[in-house]
Short mmCIF file of all heavy atoms in Angstrom, two decimals:
data_model
loop_
_atom_site.label_atom_id
_atom_site.label_comp_id
_atom_site.label_asym_id
_atom_site.label_seq_id
_atom_site.Cartn_x
_atom_site.Cartn_y
_atom_site.Cartn_z
N ILE A 48 -17.04 0.44 10.83
CA ILE A 48 -16.37 0.51 12.12
C ILE A 48 -15.58 1.81 12.18
O ILE A 48 -14.78 2.09 11.29
CB ILE A 48 -15.43 -0.69 12.33
CG1 ILE A 48 -16.22 -1.99 12.35
CG2 ILE A 48 -14.64 -0.53 13.63
CD1 ILE A 48 -15.34 -3.23 12.47
N SER A 49 -15.81 2.58 13.21
CA SER A 49 -15.07 3.82 13.42
C SER A 49 -14.36 3.72 14.76
O SER A 49 -14.98 3.43 15.79
CB SER A 49 -16.01 5.03 13.41
OG SER A 49 -15.30 6.22 13.70
N ILE A 50 -13.04 3.91 14.74
CA ILE A 50 -12.24 3.80 15.97
C ILE A 50 -11.67 5.17 16.32
O ILE A 50 -10.95 5.77 15.52
CB ILE A 50 -11.09 2.79 15.80
CG1 ILE A 50 -11.66 1.39 15.48
CG2 ILE A 50 -10.22 2.74 17.05
CD1 ILE A 50 -10.59 0.38 15.16
N THR A 51 -12.02 5.65 17.49
CA THR A 51 -11.44 6.89 18.01
C THR A 51 -10.76 6.56 19.33
O THR A 51 -11.41 6.09 20.26
CB THR A 51 -12.51 7.96 18.24
OG1 THR A 51 -13.18 8.22 17.00
CG2 THR A 51 -11.89 9.25 18.75
N ARG A 52 -9.46 6.78 19.39
CA ARG A 52 -8.71 6.42 20.58
C ARG A 52 -8.11 7.67 21.20
O ARG A 52 -7.27 8.33 20.60
CB ARG A 52 -7.59 5.44 20.23
CG ARG A 52 -6.81 4.91 21.42
CD ARG A 52 -7.68 4.06 22.33
NE ARG A 52 -6.93 3.47 23.40
CZ ARG A 52 -7.47 2.86 24.43
NH1 ARG A 52 -8.78 2.77 24.53
NH2 ARG A 52 -6.73 2.33 25.38
N ASN A 53 -8.56 8.04 22.39
CA ASN A 53 -8.06 9.21 23.09
C ASN A 53 -7.14 8.74 24.20
O ASN A 53 -7.51 8.64 25.36
CB ASN A 53 -9.21 10.04 23.65
CG ASN A 53 -8.74 11.33 24.29
OD1 ASN A 53 -7.59 11.74 24.10
ND2 ASN A 53 -9.59 11.96 25.07
N SER A 54 -5.92 8.39 23.82
CA SER A 54 -4.98 7.83 24.79
C SER A 54 -3.56 8.05 24.33
O SER A 54 -3.27 8.09 23.14
CB SER A 54 -5.23 6.32 24.96
OG SER A 54 -4.24 5.73 25.76
N THR A 55 -2.66 8.23 25.28
CA THR A 55 -1.24 8.36 24.97
C THR A 55 -0.49 7.07 25.25
O THR A 55 0.71 6.98 24.99
CB THR A 55 -0.61 9.49 25.80
OG1 THR A 55 -0.79 9.21 27.20
CG2 THR A 55 -1.24 10.83 25.46
N ASN A 56 -1.18 6.06 25.78
CA ASN A 56 -0.49 4.84 26.21
C ASN A 56 -0.91 3.59 25.45
O ASN A 56 -0.22 2.58 25.50
CB ASN A 56 -0.74 4.60 27.71
CG ASN A 56 -0.25 5.75 28.57
OD1 ASN A 56 0.85 6.25 28.36
ND2 ASN A 56 -1.06 6.18 29.51
N ASN A 57 -2.07 3.63 24.78
CA ASN A 57 -2.59 2.42 24.17
C ASN A 57 -2.73 2.57 22.66
O ASN A 57 -3.07 3.63 22.15
CB ASN A 57 -3.95 2.06 24.78
CG ASN A 57 -3.85 1.77 26.26
OD1 ASN A 57 -3.22 0.82 26.68
ND2 ASN A 57 -4.45 2.64 27.06
N THR A 58 -2.48 1.46 21.95
CA THR A 58 -2.59 1.43 20.50
C THR A 58 -4.06 1.53 20.07
O THR A 58 -4.93 0.96 20.71
CB THR A 58 -1.98 0.13 19.96
OG1 THR A 58 -0.63 0.02 20.41
CG2 THR A 58 -2.00 0.09 18.45
N GLY A 59 -4.32 2.25 18.98
CA GLY A 59 -5.68 2.41 18.51
C GLY A 59 -6.29 1.11 18.02
O GLY A 59 -7.46 0.84 18.25
N LEU A 60 -5.50 0.28 17.32
CA LEU A 60 -6.01 -0.99 16.80
C LEU A 60 -4.90 -2.03 16.83
O LEU A 60 -3.81 -1.79 16.30
CB LEU A 60 -6.52 -0.82 15.36
CG LEU A 60 -6.97 -2.10 14.65
CD1 LEU A 60 -8.19 -2.69 15.35
CD2 LEU A 60 -7.27 -1.82 13.18
N THR A 61 -5.17 -3.16 17.44
CA THR A 61 -4.22 -4.27 17.47
C THR A 61 -4.90 -5.52 16.95
O THR A 61 -6.00 -5.86 17.38
CB THR A 61 -3.73 -4.53 18.91
OG1 THR A 61 -3.04 -3.37 19.39
CG2 THR A 61 -2.77 -5.71 18.95
N VAL A 62 -4.26 -6.18 15.99
CA VAL A 62 -4.74 -7.46 15.49
C VAL A 62 -3.70 -8.51 15.86
O VAL A 62 -2.56 -8.44 15.43
CB VAL A 62 -4.94 -7.43 13.95
CG1 VAL A 62 -5.42 -8.80 13.47
CG2 VAL A 62 -5.93 -6.34 13.57
N ASN A 63 -4.10 -9.47 16.69
CA ASN A 63 -3.16 -10.48 17.18
C ASN A 63 -3.64 -11.86 16.73
O ASN A 63 -4.46 -12.49 17.37
CB ASN A 63 -3.08 -10.41 18.71
CG ASN A 63 -2.06 -11.41 19.27
OD1 ASN A 63 -1.22 -11.92 18.54
ND2 ASN A 63 -2.15 -11.69 20.55
N GLN A 64 -3.11 -12.32 15.58
CA GLN A 64 -3.47 -13.64 15.06
C GLN A 64 -2.52 -14.67 15.66
O GLN A 64 -1.32 -14.64 15.42
CB GLN A 64 -3.35 -13.63 13.53
CG GLN A 64 -3.41 -15.00 12.86
CD GLN A 64 -4.69 -15.76 13.12
OE1 GLN A 64 -4.83 -16.38 14.17
NE2 GLN A 64 -5.61 -15.72 12.19
N GLN A 65 -3.07 -15.56 16.46
CA GLN A 65 -2.24 -16.54 17.17
C GLN A 65 -2.17 -17.89 16.47
O GLN A 65 -1.49 -18.79 16.92
CB GLN A 65 -2.75 -16.70 18.60
CG GLN A 65 -2.61 -15.43 19.43
CD GLN A 65 -3.07 -15.59 20.86
OE1 GLN A 65 -3.93 -16.41 21.16
NE2 GLN A 65 -2.49 -14.80 21.75
N GLY A 66 -2.89 -18.02 15.35
CA GLY A 66 -2.82 -19.26 14.58
C GLY A 66 -1.94 -19.06 13.36
O GLY A 66 -1.03 -18.24 13.34
N VAL A 67 -2.23 -19.80 12.29
CA VAL A 67 -1.43 -19.72 11.07
C VAL A 67 -2.26 -19.16 9.90
O VAL A 67 -1.79 -19.13 8.77
CB VAL A 67 -0.85 -21.09 10.67
CG1 VAL A 67 0.13 -21.57 11.73
CG2 VAL A 67 -1.97 -22.12 10.49
N ALA A 68 -3.48 -18.72 10.18
CA ALA A 68 -4.32 -18.13 9.13
C ALA A 68 -3.85 -16.71 8.85
O ALA A 68 -2.96 -16.17 9.52
CB ALA A 68 -5.78 -18.14 9.57
N ASP A 69 -4.44 -16.09 7.83
CA ASP A 69 -4.09 -14.71 7.49
C ASP A 69 -4.34 -13.78 8.68
O ASP A 69 -5.28 -13.97 9.44
CB ASP A 69 -4.93 -14.22 6.30
CG ASP A 69 -4.56 -14.92 5.00
OD1 ASP A 69 -3.53 -15.62 4.98
OD2 ASP A 69 -5.31 -14.77 4.02
N ILE A 70 -3.50 -12.77 8.81
CA ILE A 70 -3.65 -11.79 9.88
C ILE A 70 -4.75 -10.79 9.56
O ILE A 70 -5.54 -10.41 10.41
CB ILE A 70 -2.31 -11.06 10.12
CG1 ILE A 70 -1.23 -12.06 10.55
CG2 ILE A 70 -2.47 -9.96 11.16
CD1 ILE A 70 0.16 -11.46 10.58
N LEU A 71 -4.82 -10.38 8.28
CA LEU A 71 -5.78 -9.34 7.89
C LEU A 71 -6.18 -9.51 6.44
O LEU A 71 -5.33 -9.75 5.58
CB LEU A 71 -5.16 -7.94 8.09
CG LEU A 71 -6.01 -6.73 7.72
CD1 LEU A 71 -7.22 -6.63 8.64
CD2 LEU A 71 -5.17 -5.45 7.80
N ASN A 72 -7.47 -9.41 6.17
CA ASN A 72 -8.01 -9.40 4.80
C ASN A 72 -8.92 -8.21 4.63
O ASN A 72 -9.86 -8.05 5.40
CB ASN A 72 -8.82 -10.67 4.50
CG ASN A 72 -8.01 -11.95 4.65
OD1 ASN A 72 -8.44 -12.86 5.34
ND2 ASN A 72 -6.87 -12.03 4.00
N LEU A 73 -8.65 -7.36 3.65
CA LEU A 73 -9.55 -6.27 3.30
C LEU A 73 -10.15 -6.59 1.93
O LEU A 73 -9.43 -6.92 0.99
CB LEU A 73 -8.80 -4.94 3.24
CG LEU A 73 -8.14 -4.47 4.54
CD1 LEU A 73 -7.49 -3.10 4.33
CD2 LEU A 73 -9.13 -4.41 5.69
N LYS A 74 -11.47 -6.49 1.83
CA LYS A 74 -12.16 -6.86 0.61
C LYS A 74 -12.93 -5.68 0.02
O LYS A 74 -13.43 -4.83 0.75
CB LYS A 74 -13.13 -8.02 0.87
CG LYS A 74 -12.45 -9.31 1.32
CD LYS A 74 -13.45 -10.45 1.48
CE LYS A 74 -12.75 -11.74 1.88
NZ LYS A 74 -13.69 -12.88 1.97
N ASP A 75 -13.04 -5.68 -1.29
CA ASP A 75 -13.86 -4.71 -2.02
C ASP A 75 -14.93 -5.50 -2.76
O ASP A 75 -14.64 -6.20 -3.72
CB ASP A 75 -13.00 -3.91 -3.00
CG ASP A 75 -13.80 -2.87 -3.76
OD1 ASP A 75 -14.96 -2.63 -3.41
OD2 ASP A 75 -13.24 -2.29 -4.71
N ASN A 76 -16.17 -5.40 -2.26
CA ASN A 76 -17.29 -6.13 -2.86
C ASN A 76 -17.00 -7.63 -2.95
O ASN A 76 -17.28 -8.28 -3.95
CB ASN A 76 -17.61 -5.57 -4.26
CG ASN A 76 -19.02 -5.92 -4.71
OD1 ASN A 76 -19.92 -6.15 -3.90
ND2 ASN A 76 -19.21 -5.99 -6.01
#
Side-chain angles (χ1 to χ4, degrees):
I48 297 176
S49 176
I50 299 174
T51 301
R52 185 66 175 169
N53 184 14
S54 173
T55 58
N56 300 315
N57 298 295
T58 303
L60 175 65
T61 298
V62 179
N63 183 17
Q64 168 60 279
Q65 296 182 332
V67 295
D69 291 349
I70 298 170
L71 179 65
N72 301 128
L73 299 182
K74 297 184 178 183
D75 181 10
N76 200 26

